[in-house]
Amino acid sequence: MYRKLLASVREYKKPSLEAPFYVSCEVVMECIIPFIVAKLVNQIREGCDFAIMLEYGVILVVMAFFSLLFGIIAGNACSTASCGFAKNLRSDLFKSIQKFSFENLDKFSTASLVTRLTTDVSGVQQAYMMIVRTAIRGPLMLVFSFIMALIMGGRIALIFLLTAPFLGLGLYCVARWAMPTFRKLFKKYDKLNNSIQENIRGVRVVKAFVREDYEKEKFSQAAESLCKDFTVAEKILALNNPMMQFCLYVVMIFILYYGTYKIITSRGLDLNIGQISSLITYGMQILGSLMRLSMVLVMITLARESAARIVEVLEEGERPALTSPVNGIKEISSGEVDFINVNFIYNSAREQQNISHNDITHNTQNSRLYALRNINLHIESGSTIGIIGGTGSSKTTLIQLIPRLYDASNGIIKISGHDVKEYDLDSLRNNIALVLQKNELFSGTIRDNLLWGNDKATDSQIIEVCKIARADEFIEKLPEKYNTYIEQSGTNLSGGQKQRLCIARALLKQPKILILDDSTSAVDTHTDALIRSGLKNYLPSTTKIIIAQRILSVQEADKIIVMDDGEIKAVGTHEDLLKSNAIYNEIYLSQTREELL
C-alpha cells in the first residue's frame, strides 16, 4: 500500500528529502541552545564581565537565527512536498477512474469516489506532511534532548526514562482508543456527500414535490451523526494535553526539588543553577516530542484508512475489467453485428450468489440472475433495427455489449466478422456512436458539447447534424446560438433539447454503428419521425439500432427485436410481429388505445 502511494511523490522526491535534513539541523540548534544558556547562567553567577555576556549573546542570536532559518527552509520544503504529493495523488486517482470499465464503476458510488478524491487525499497529505517533518523532528528531538540532559544533569536525567514511557504509553492508548471512532467517519462522509449530491442534482424534483423539509432533516441527521462521532474522537484526543501537562509538572517539581537539594548539599559542585535551567528546558523538549509523536501516530493511523481507500481505487484502475488487445484491429469495415450464444450476468449479482466462471459457462438456462440468456442474433450492415420490450427486459444491457462497455460473460459478439475483443478498444468505440438513456451534457457551450463527437468538425458539419437531430429549431432561437453556455448536466435545457443535442453529438462521429437507447422519448412523435427520416438519409450505410418504448419509433425498421426477461422472444417486421407475437401485439394495442383516448 505504501509503495503505491509513494509512487505519486515523483518529482517531489527532492523536497521530501530536504525537509528531514533541515529539520535535523533545526533540532541540533534547538538542543545546543539550552547548553549555551546554562553556561551563560553559570558565567553570570560567577560574576563575568559584559564582554563575555556579549559573546554568549551573539552566539545565542546566531544559533537562534540558524534554527529559524532551518525551520523556514524545512517548512517550505515540507509544504512543497506534501502539496505536490497530493496533486499527483489526485491526478493518479482521476486517471485511474478514467480507466474503469462500467463493471469497475459499479463497485463504487459516485459520492465515495468524490470523498476519496477530496477528504481522503487531504488526510493522506496531512499525514505525509507530518511524516517528512514532525515524525522526523519528534524522535530526533527526543534522542538529542535526552543525550544533552545526561550530559548536563547526569543521573538526574534518568527521571525522563521513567516519565517518558508512562506518557508514551498513555498517548498510544488514547490514539488507539480514538481510532475505531475515526474509522466510522469515512462511511459517514460518503453518506453525507451522497445526500448533498442527490439533493443538488435533484433540486427541481425536491421543490416540485415540496420535500425541502424532508431533505433538510435527512442532511441534518447525517451531519449530526458525523458531528457526534467527531466530538467523541476529539474528546478522547483531548486527554493528550492534560497527560502531558501532568508529566511535565511532575518532572519540573522533581528537578527543582532534587536539583535544589543537590546544589545546597554539594555547594554547586555536583549540580549548578545553569544545569537545572537546561534540564527543565530539555524536559519540556522531551515531553513535547512525545506529544508531537502521539499526534503523528493519530494522523498516520487515521490516514491509513484513507490510504487504503485510495489504494483500492488505484488498484482497481490497474486491473480494468476490459482491456484493449495488443495490436488490436483498428479498422472496422462494416456495421454487421452478430451475437452467438451470448449470456451475461452483472458482477454484483455473480458475487452475491458466489457464481463461479464455470457456472456462468454451463448453468444459464434456469437462473433468473442472468441479465441476458441465450442471445443469438444477426444484424446486417446498414440495416435499421428496432428493439422493444418492457422495463427490465435488458434492452440496454444488450446494446452495451456491442461497444464493450461490458464484456459478455460467455459467448461471442462479432462486428464485421471479428470478435469485439480483437479490436483496439478506442477504435471500436470511435466507430460506434451510443446515445444512452441518460443524456449527459457537460458545462460549456453547445459547440463545446457537440465537438465531443468530433473535435475537428467544422461549423457547417455542426449545423448539418443539428438540423438532422432537429436541434437547430431551438438553438437558432437562443441569443448566442451555438455559443450558448450549458450548465452542468444541461440543467438549463429541457429533456427534449438535451436528447436532440446528444443525437447531434453522436452523428458527428460518422459511426459504422449508431445506437439510440430510448433517446427520443422526450420529443413529440412528429419530431421523432423527422429525426428518423433524417438519420436514414444522412447515414444510409450505418447500422442503426433503436431502442424505444413507442412502437411508432421502430415500426419502419428492417427488423424489430422483442425482448422479455433477458431473452429474445421474437424477431421480425412490424406486420409479422403483429400477427405472430403476443407481447408485441399487446404493446401495440395498448399504445393505440392511448392514442385514440
Side-chain angles (χ1 to χ4, degrees), residues 497-551:
Q497 289 171 340
K498 287 193 286 186
Q499 284 188 336
R500 283 177 277 176
L501 282 178
C502 288
I503 293 171
R505 181 173 63 186
L507 294 179
L508 275 179
K509 293 185 76 171
Q510 294 283 322
K512 290 289 193 300
I513 300 170
L514 174 65
I515 301 171
L516 304 178
D517 186 359
D518 203 17
S519 54
T520 57
S521 59
V523 301
D524 59 84
T525 54
H526 176 66
T527 304
D528 185 11
L530 290 174
I531 292 173
R532 284 185 281 111
S533 176
L535 292 176
K536 186 175 182 180
N537 297 325
Y538 181 68
L539 300 171
S541 60
T542 294
T543 301
K544 293 169 279 293
I545 301 173
I546 303 171
I547 295 176
Q549 298 294 334
R550 296 185 299 217
I551 283 184

Side-chain angles (χ1 to χ4, degrees), residues 80 168 244 286 340 382:
T80 301
M244 177 188 169
I286 290 171
I340 304 170

